[in-house]
Every structure is written in structure tokens, then in C-alpha cells.
Amino acid sequence: MSERLQPGDTAPAFTLPDADGKDVSLSDHKGRKVIVYFYPAALTPGCTKQACDFTDNLELLAGAGYDVIGVSPDQPEKLAKFRDKESLKITLLADPDKTVTEAYGAFGEKKNYGKTYMGVIRSTVIVDEEGKVERALYNVRATGHVTKIIKDLGI
């Protein structure tokens, strides 16, 4: 089980391919706040709802100085399908070996329908302009999560 991040921690640096295979790094966003969220799989109902919620609120979040990055274990090709099918405007990154997901504490034991297994824990980490963790939220719900973040951030 990976260690969960706490406010004040330095956010782990990363470089991952986006839906078009281009490398995107956390450091590309220095000087802006970044909402990095981890989700189990593209093109699934809950993950689609969450990604669409972030896209629907992207203008509001961007206006308040936040960039949004979604990270999943999917390959770039699947992320491109997801983006195109749902008209997503957020940055989607591929982490097939789950290195970044683990570094952010978003991989571990899950329970579903009475079964215990290892998987991606739906999580959101808000990183400030200096690369420090402002908030780290784990086991979040797909539905209503974006609205809660906006409310909590006072946007």
C-alpha cells in the first residue's frame, strides 16, 4: 500500500504521456495550482462522470488559477478515445505501471462487492504554485466530487 500524501508535503514530480503521447510534467505547471486526480479506468461510468464534471467546470477552475490533470493506468490510445468520445478538455495522462499513482498514495487495497483487491483509489491531490500539497483527498466519490472541491476551495 502506498503512503498517502499530507498537506505541506512536496508533490512527487512526474512526467507522463498524455492522450496524444506527448510528455507532460508537473513542473510544466509551476506558478499555477494543479488539481491532480487519479481514477481507475477511462470509459467507465463513474470515471466518465468525474471527467465530464471536471470538463464542465474547467473554465471556472482555470479562472481561479487551477489546472486539472487526470491520471489513470490506461494507455494513451484509450485516453484519446475517452477524450474524443466525451469531448473532454482536461489533460489526461497515462500511468500504466502505476509509478505516479503509487507515489501519490492512490494505489492500494480496495473492497468491492465483498472482495478485496489492489487497485487505483479514486483520489484528488491539490498542488500549490510551489509544488507543495495543499490538500490530499482519498476514497472520493465520482459523483459530486468536483462540486465539493469547488465549494471547499471557495471558488
Side-chain angles (χ1 to χ4, degrees):
M1 177 115 156
S2 42
E3 196 68 30
R4 294 191 168 181
L5 297 175
Q6 301 295 325
D9 289 349
T10 297
F14 63 78
T15 300
L16 292 170
D18 69 7
D20 298 316
K22 293 192 197 90
D23 281 349
V24 174
S25 301
L26 181 60
S27 58
D28 297 343
H29 298 268
K30 193 148 176 67
R32 288 189 55 83
K33 293 183 180 207
V34 186
I35 296 170
V36 183
Y37 82 96
F38 296 87
Y39 61 99
L43 300 167
T44 57
C47 298
T48 298
K49 171 83 179 111
Q50 190 177 20
C52 289
D53 281 355
F54 271 119
T55 293
D56 292 346
N57 289 286
L58 191 59
E59 216 171 279
L60 179 68
L61 290 164
Y66 290 89
D67 293 337
V68 178
I69 297 174
V71 179
S72 76
D74 299 303
Q75 293 292 337
E77 301 77 28
K78 187 173 179 189
L79 296 178
K81 272 188 201 147
F82 186 35
R83 177 195 61 203
D84 297 345
K85 181 177 186 270
E86 302 298 337
S87 303
L88 301 174
K89 302 278 183 260
I90 56 177
T91 301
L92 299 174
L93 301 182
D95 184 22
D97 61 8
K98 302 176 197 74
T99 312
V100 175
T101 304
E102 287 190 29
Y104 275 75
F107 186 82
E109 202 173 84
K110 297 173 66 162
K111 283 183 175 38
N112 203 6
Y113 302 112
K115 288 194 172 102
T116 301
Y117 60 97
M118 297 300 281
V120 176
I121 298 164
R122 193 179 300 279
S123 309
T124 301
V125 176
I126 301 172
V127 181
D128 72 13
E129 301 90 339
E130 301 303 314
K132 296 276 189 214
V133 174
E134 193 175 285
R135 293 166 194 247
L137 311 161
Y138 294 96
N139 293 311
V140 302
R141 296 196 175 281
T143 306
H145 179 59
V146 176
T147 304
K148 184 178 179 340
I149 289 173
I150 290 168
K151 187 175 170 232
D152 290 351
L153 294 174
I155 299 171

